[in-house]
Amino acid sequence: MGGQITVGGAMVFDRPDDLPPLGLTVRTAFAQIGVRGTRFFLGPSKGVFAVFVDRGEVTVRALGSTRRLRAGEGVEVRAKGAAPREVVTWGQARIDAAFASVGL
């Protein structure tokens, strides 16, 4: 099971941990995201495109660079065609704002 999703805005992906791994790729104008049974946010955060992993692991690829994110970590891609910045731990306020932006 798997496939590809193209996203033009913000979203939260949430898949229970007890399900088998999923070969899913999420494409955006900024990056390609490889999904492995997880819960993550992608979309605008603090004025830039960002990906945050709440649970599990994702891989973000853009401009020939790859960043692997684990629970509690996020990464920014500051412009279309730019490489992802370094992976950082997000604070609770930024996490709350990201999830609130999609109604959670």
Side-chain angles (χ1 to χ4, degrees):
M1 183 173 177
Q4 181 175 300
I5 299 171
T6 302
V7 177
M11 71 169 254
V12 169
F13 180 91
D14 191 354
R15 182 171 168 86
D17 291 334
D18 59 348
L19 294 177
L22 179 66
L24 178 67
T25 300
V26 178
R27 290 189 178 275
T28 74
F30 295 88
Q32 175 179 308
I33 300 157
V35 177
R36 291 169 188 80
T38 190
R39 181 175 193 245
F40 69 92
F41 163 87
L42 66 83
S45 173
K46 290 191 168 184
V48 297
F49 178 82
V51 179
F52 169 75
V53 177
D54 187 47
R55 188 180 71 243
E57 181 180 305
V58 301
T59 303
V60 177
R61 292 183 189 92
L63 196 65
S65 295
T66 301
R67 302 288 185 265
R68 178 171 287 165
L69 289 77
R70 293 179 177 86
E73 297 177 334
V75 69
E76 297 177 348
V77 181
R78 296 214 167 171
K80 292 179 185 176
R85 299 185 55 102
E86 294 302 313
V87 174
V88 297
T89 300
W90 279 23
Q92 194 61 51
R94 187 170 189 183
I95 295 166
D96 293 345
F99 283 108
S101 76
V102 292
L104 299 176

